Amino acid sequence: VVFSSPEGQVSTVSFPEPGEYHLSLEVRSGGASWTAAHTVLVGDSFPAWAGRHFSGVELANPFVSGPDADPDGDERGNLEEYAFATDPRSRDSAPELRIAVVEGSPRLEFPRPFWINDLTYVIEYSTDLLSWNDDPLLHRILERTDSVSGIDIFSVKTIEPGTGGFYRVRFALGD
């Protein structure tokens, strides 16, 4: 975290990476002082993420740094690596997805970094793995169930108990 000069009327701060930052500020004037704590959430975008993970030459090559590229050969494209906050250069970096049956319905838990602000997570459901449906009436995203290192764990389950099926998470980049 870098603060601008404290000598000016206004001080600005810049953050090196997206995430959650906790700032503690203290202002002293004469014999009085004032302190405050503040949490700052810094968002991310796919181009900024790619810029941190790939060189200039690699960024110019969509087969290395593009959303569908898979430079580490782990069968997860860069957009999926970004969406789950995994390393696009490490085959061993994988998101933790959990499946359970709760009250007779399948339930999927998946990580979603809070700092990603240009991506839509689309939950799709299928009973046969051939046709997929993203109709929100078929399932619902439950409250955040956990948070690990700034990555929120969300839970999805079908609305109708006793319905078997399959889930997948699709990602769509925003404008």
Side-chain angles (χ1 to χ4, degrees):
V1 177
V2 177
F3 283 92
S4 64
S5 169
E7 310 304 323
Q9 292 285 334
V10 176
S11 209
T12 59
V13 62
S14 61
F15 301 92
E17 298 221 359
E20 182 174 347
Y21 293 86
H22 301 278
L23 302 177
S24 180
L25 306 172
E26 181 177 6
V27 177
R28 290 185 217 155
S29 179
S33 68
W34 173 79
T35 59
H38 189 70
T39 300
V40 176
L41 302 177
V42 178
D44 203 3
S45 68
F46 183 75
W49 175 88
R52 289 192 307 278
H53 287 88
F54 300 105
S55 70
V57 171
E58 292 170 327
L59 287 170
N61 183 347
F63 296 107
V64 175
S65 62
D68 296 324
D70 181 15
D72 59 6
D74 63 1
E75 298 185 10
R76 286 184 296 279
N78 287 331
L79 190 60
E80 185 175 339
E81 301 270 12
Y82 168 63
F84 288 137
T86 55
D87 185 346
R89 297 191 177 274
S90 172
R91 295 178 65 94
D92 298 329
S93 173
E96 185 176 332
L97 305 175
R98 291 179 278 202
I99 305 288
V101 176
V102 178
E103 298 172 2
S105 293
R107 179 172 171 162
L108 166 69
E109 290 186 352
F110 64 96
R112 181 176 179 177
F114 70 83
W115 57 81
I116 292 178
N117 57 18
D118 64 344
L119 196 64
T120 301
Y121 292 68
V122 180
I123 310 302
E124 296 180 324
Y125 179 76
S126 174
T127 56
D128 60 10
L129 292 175
L130 298 173
S131 58
W132 292 89
N133 193 325
D134 63 1
D135 184 345
L137 296 176
L138 295 176
H139 54 265
R140 65 185 171 106
I141 295 181
L142 304 174
E143 302 263 332
R144 181 181 79 171
T145 58
D146 197 2
S147 186
V148 179
S149 299
I151 298 176
D152 295 334
I153 307 299
F154 283 87
S155 182
V156 178
K157 70 177 246 179
T158 57
I159 290 176
E160 191 173 320
T163 304
F166 305 91
Y167 284 110
R168 70 180 178 189
V169 182
R170 186 171 45 85
F171 313 101
L173 274 174
D175 295 334

